[in-house]
Amino acid sequence: MKVIGTAGHVDHGKSTLVLALTGIDPDRLAEEKAREMTIDLGFAWLTLPDGETVGVIDVPGHIDFIKNMLAGVGGIDAALFVIAADEGVMPQTREHLAILDLLQVSAGVVALTMIDMIRNDPDWLELVQADVSEALEGTALASAPIVPVSARTGQGLDVLKATIAGVLSQVPERRDTGKPRLPVDRAFSVAGFGTVVTGTLSDGALEVGQEVELVPSGLRARVRGLQTHKQKLERAVPGSRVAVNLSGVSKEQVNRGDVVALPGALRPTVLVDVTLRMVSDLAKALEHNQPVDFYCGAAEVEARTRLLGAESLGAGETGWVQLRLARPVAVQRGDRFILRQASPSRTLGGGRVVNPYPGRRWRRFRPEVLAMLRALESGDPPGIFVQALRREEPATYGQVLAASSLDKTSALDAFLQLVREKHVVVLDKDWVAPAAFDVDHETSPGVPSAESWGKGTISAADKQRVAALQSLLTAETWAELQQRLQVILAGFHRQAPLRPGMPREELKSRLQGKRQTWSLRFFNDLIGGLVAEGLVGDEGAVVRLADHEARLSSKQQADVDRLFKLFAATPYAPPTVPECIAAVGDDVFQWLLDSDRLVRVGEDVVFAPEIYEAMLQRILEHLQTTGSITVAQVRDTFGTSRKYALALMEHLDAKHITRRVGDERVLRKGGATNPSGLL
Ligand code: GDP
């Protein structure tokens, strides 16, 4: 379904021409609209000679004209540019032409109307035609055909319809990325139906019964009904003018400029990077930080300019600009917009949104920022995918997809290519690249090319696995994280050479920095990736550099040797914890525990591990033969004191090996089935 929009100076016969072409009076529809008596769109439609139905937008008023040109965010498909033959090119003719040019509306037909008024003067017609051609020169509409018509006599109308059909046949079909957007240009309520919104649908189809989200408010609603050109539909297609009956929201909750989208598919933004071209008759150059009005889709919002690559932008100049919007709007990469100044009211320029989610204020005059914007504008999917990932990372595949505004197939292609070329790193556990994908295309010419990935050679299951990926990074960030991790861990090991590694939580907060909070899932994937790279050892509670090994100084070693002599001298009544700490210090004592050189059984009591193991075996044997044991028996068996015997038995209780019954300990059920490995 395609849409054309009228343009041209006031009173040059636009509405009359639309009536003559379509049999529908747009002015009468406008009246009905004002009284909200109809849920029709207030737009006419035209059946072309080839049977195709085309929406025709014609609304009086200059601002309405701009909005109509922007309608459907991709812009109208073609302009019906109306110029009265008796008056020729007038000021608004030029202004509308300038706007069409800014929006790069290159498909169009000029209707040189009211030729009945100049019937007797072929010279005049020639003169006006030359005048019009001159005005079109150098604009996007330079090659638009000029068709003389009269709405009054009907002369030329058939030629005009055929010419419109010819021009539209050259216009590419609206893209369908499966992410429908309907910028709301009207919201009203209809008795018995409830809330109805209208707009031009783009990027995907809408269906009755679907749940939708209003962006930026985030309100959810359901599609109760759909209409296009007064016809009830189950499914509305991109490019068509649509009225949507919504349940779950009131008319008051919907604003002009809101966008109806699938839940979660669109994120509102207050910062947008754009490429901007100034009109050629700009009175005063656009300044940095200048207040402007931003028109995009059906939205109109105040904004301030941030000129990224120039001090100012003069007439006809083009530049990179970051716009800070006064309130959030839903826009996407590639959306066309117009900038105007409020008073005196005039068009300043227009262009395309290059990056809807810059996420932060760019510093001005930065070559890397300008290079990134150029990559985004060039529209190459891998470049766009990487830029989106760079803004979000670490990111899930779904987040990158949403931020990139790429369609699913281009995104998948781009992603697989980027992974293959090692620009993007996947850290998800168990991730294996799809089978068709590790193949070396140079040496295996028979296998599908990279271009065909995602277009059928990747299985549906593989597509799902890609869509579910959680932990993606750009290669640069991955390299940078490895570097930082090495610095952080090396520092930690230097400070605490005896500790086995850095506690996980501490490492996570150091690595992620202040600006981000990583999911635990991502952090674990990250550590997994680092282990696979051979960079770190994962000890569960702590993480260490792969080659880290606790080492004692010679003095510490001497202290430990001396302490262990004491342990050997009285193995069953060894030095207590405070005595150990006094002998070797806190750190070394902790290291002796961490490295299993001592086993702690109580607040004050530790044993050498082989002694602990031997005692445990003896106690278990005793329990198995006699059924129970007392603390006194333990004390006497090992010739130790009550303090050690009690600590050991309480330890075994706590480990669920024994159970206390009065003065005795008995074996817990299952407690002795695996006595080794209990340490
Ligand atoms: P708009 O403001 O561009 O929509 O212009 P209108 O369609 O309202 O037309 C302005 C005036 O010109 C009206 O009085 C029309 O009747 C008249 N008009 C429009 N088209 C023709 C035409 O082809 N021939 C003649 N003689 N008058 C026309």
Side-chain angles (χ1 to χ4, degrees):
M1 181 84 61
K2 293 191 171 131
V3 177
I4 58 176
T6 62
H9 195 72
V10 65
D11 274 347
H12 272 201
K14 294 183 292 295
S15 301
T16 312
L17 184 60
V18 171
L19 175 62
L21 284 171
T22 67
I24 300 163
D25 181 352
D27 287 343
R28 192 187 48 95
L29 289 174
E31 263 171 50
E32 282 185 14
K33 189 174 76 179
R35 282 185 276 141
E36 298 187 346
M37 279 170 54
T38 168
I39 70 160
D40 178 56
L41 301 165
F43 296 90
W45 59 96
L46 164 68
T47 307
L48 293 174
D50 58 7
E52 192 183 341
T53 312
V54 177
V56 184
I57 310 181
D58 174 72
V59 180
H62 190 63
I63 289 294
D64 283 331
F65 160 75
I66 293 171
K67 288 178 178 164
N68 290 338
M69 289 301 129
L70 289 163
V73 290
I76 55 156
D77 292 297
L80 178 58
F81 202 44
V82 179
I83 302 173
D86 59 340
E87 279 196 338
V89 175
M90 295 292 281
Q92 257 180 26
T93 314
R94 291 191 189 282
E95 216 176 335
H96 286 191
L97 189 58
I99 289 168
L100 290 168
D101 187 43
L102 288 173
L103 296 173
Q104 291 294 300
V105 176
S106 55
V109 179
V110 177
L112 200 56
T113 188
M114 303 201 200
I115 50 162
D116 56 300
M117 306 277 282
I118 57 153
R119 194 178 330 171
N120 301 322
D121 198 346
D123 290 346
W124 178 255
L125 183 63
E126 207 171 291
L127 207 68
V128 179
Q129 270 177 316
D131 196 20
V132 171
S133 297
E134 201 187 310
L136 297 178
E137 218 174 275
T139 73
L141 282 173
S143 57
I146 302 171
V147 184
V149 295
S150 165
R152 182 149 299 167
T153 65
Q155 190 189 343
L157 288 182
D158 287 341
V159 180
L160 181 60
K161 281 189 198 178
T163 310
I164 292 171
V167 165
L168 284 178
S169 70
Q170 303 295 313
V171 175
E173 277 301 312
R174 292 294 184 121
R175 64 177 186 167
D176 184 345
T177 60
K179 294 192 246 183
R181 291 194 285 162
L182 187 90
V184 174
D185 46 35
R186 283 198 297 145
F188 47 90
S189 54
V190 178
F193 287 93
T195 307
V196 174
V197 300
T198 65
T200 307
L201 183 61
S202 64
D203 295 352
L206 272 183
E207 284 173 25
V208 173
Q210 247 170 353
E211 193 187 22
V212 291
E213 180 179 336
L214 287 160
V215 190
S217 68
L219 293 170
R220 297 288 171 95
R222 198 164 288 282
V223 177
R224 263 181 69 179
L226 290 168
Q227 275 195 13
T228 287
H229 303 168
K230 276 190 173 164
Q231 301 272 325
K232 278 182 85 163
L233 297 170
E234 282 301 304
R235 186 168 187 275
V237 296
S240 49
R241 291 286 315 169
V242 185
V244 188
N245 182 200
L246 291 174
S247 64
V249 287
S250 70
K251 172 193 153 202
E252 286 70 33
Q253 291 174 307
V254 190
N255 298 307
R256 185 175 183 146
D258 285 358
V259 176
V260 177
L262 297 186
L266 256 188
R267 214 152 36 93
T269 179
V270 289
L271 271 187
V272 288
D273 296 340
V274 303
T275 167
L276 170 67
R277 180 154 60 95
M278 310 312 297
V279 293
S280 54
D281 58 351
L282 187 70
K284 190 174 159 294
L286 185 81
E287 301 289 332
H288 179 62
N289 208 26
Q290 184 172 326
V292 290
D293 290 335
F294 173 73
Y295 291 82
C296 191
E300 174 193 342
V301 56
E302 287 168 24
R304 282 205 177 251
T305 57
R306 186 168 181 78
L307 303 193
L308 297 175
E311 288 296 350
S312 65
L313 288 175
E317 287 184 342
T318 300
W320 300 109
V321 180
Q322 187 169 57
L323 295 169
R324 174 172 288 280
L325 310 177
R327 57 185 168 75
V329 296
V331 298
Q332 294 236 291
R333 194 173 63 79
D335 284 358
R336 296 161 177 177
F337 69 91
I338 289 288
L339 282 194
R340 288 177 56 83
Q341 82 178 21
S343 82
S345 167
R346 71 168 53 117
T347 300
L348 300 172
R352 277 178 187 274
V353 173
V354 170
N355 183 359
Y357 308 116
R360 61 194 174 103
R361 239 174 56 167
W362 300 125
R363 305 220 10 222
R364 300 179 66 197
F365 305 107
R366 281 305 180 98
E368 70 275 15
V369 169
L370 303 177
M372 178 201 73
L373 292 172
R374 271 192 294 272
L376 283 171
E377 195 203 19
S378 76
D380 108 275
I384 291 166
F385 193 98
V386 165
Q387 293 301 341
L389 175 56
R390 192 162 286 154
R391 293 191 299 273
E392 305 276 318
E393 70 187 339
T396 67
Y397 185 85
Q399 284 170 328
V400 184
L401 184 65
S404 71
S405 46
L406 288 170
D407 64 87
K408 280 187 179 161
T409 305
S410 326
L412 184 65
D413 273 352
F415 168 72
L416 292 176
Q417 183 187 333
L418 288 164
V419 175
R420 189 182 61 140
E421 290 168 2
K422 300 196 167 40
H423 293 306
V424 167
V425 179
V426 180
L427 290 177
D428 288 60
K429 262 206 319 265
D430 310 328
W431 153 259
V432 189
F437 157 75
D438 261 342
V439 178
D440 182 342
H441 294 285
E442 306 259 300
T443 56
S444 316
V447 301
S449 70
E451 288 69 44
S452 64
W453 289 337
K455 292 178 183 139
T457 54
I458 298 288
S459 72
D462 277 337
K463 283 184 192 173
Q464 270 182 4
R465 287 193 316 119
V466 169
L469 288 175
Q470 294 291 308
S471 304
L472 306 186
L473 286 179
T474 58
E476 299 90 84
T477 301
W478 173 231
E480 185 211 311
L481 279 177
Q482 294 186 10
Q483 279 252 312
R484 284 208 357 247
L485 174 112
Q486 279 171 310
V487 171
I488 291 170
L489 282 184
F492 182 87
H493 292 323
R494 224 177 6 257
Q495 294 261 308
L498 291 176
R499 304 249 320 252
M502 192 164 185
R504 267 187 121 75
E505 256 315 304
E506 195 180 335
L507 180 60
K508 176 170 179 274
S509 65
R510 285 285 302 279
L511 261 182
Q512 75 196 6
K514 287 201 185 73
R515 282 191 305 138
Q516 284 188 319
T517 309
W518 290 345
S519 69
L520 199 57
R521 164 78 194 254
F522 170 72
F523 180 67
N524 289 336
D525 284 344
L526 178 71
I527 297 300
L530 293 163
V531 171
E533 289 281 310
L535 274 178
V536 303
D538 184 358
E539 306 290 343
V542 300
V543 178
R544 57 170 169 81
L545 282 179
D547 57 1
H548 170 71
E549 227 182 313
R551 272 204 196 86
L552 299 178
S553 67
S554 52
K555 162 156 188 336
Q556 288 169 327
Q557 190 61 57
D559 291 345
V560 169
D561 291 348
R562 218 173 304 121
L563 180 65
F564 277 7
K565 278 205 182 101
L566 297 177
F567 272 79
T570 54
Y572 299 107
T576 62
V577 169
E579 285 164 350
C580 291
I581 292 173
V584 298
D586 269 319
D587 289 351
V588 174
F589 176 67
Q590 188 58 45
W591 172 74
L592 290 171
L593 293 178
D594 289 342
S595 57
D596 298 330
R597 284 171 170 83
L598 287 179
V599 181
R600 190 169 196 161
V601 301
E603 182 77 4
D604 276 356
V605 178
V606 282
F607 290 110
E610 63 282 5
I611 300 300
Y612 170 83
E613 191 66 33
M615 293 169 96
L616 180 59
Q617 287 304 330
R618 285 279 292 278
I619 291 168
L620 288 174
E621 278 162 31
H622 185 100
L623 284 169
Q624 271 151 3
T625 46
T626 63
S628 70
I629 194 166
T630 64
V631 171
Q633 284 171 323
V634 172
R635 180 195 62 200
D636 296 343
T637 307
F638 300 110
T640 178
S641 73
R642 181 176 160 75
K643 177 175 80 177
Y644 291 97
L646 185 62
L648 181 61
M649 291 321 291
E650 282 176 349
H651 168 77
L652 295 183
D653 289 346
K655 297 214 100 177
H656 301 288
I657 296 167
T658 54
R659 187 158 53 87
R660 189 175 159 190
V661 182
D663 274 352
E664 304 193 314
R665 254 78 184 179
V666 296
L667 209 51
R668 246 179 208 268
K669 256 202 205 114
T673 48
N674 181 23
S676 58
L678 284 171
L679 287 176

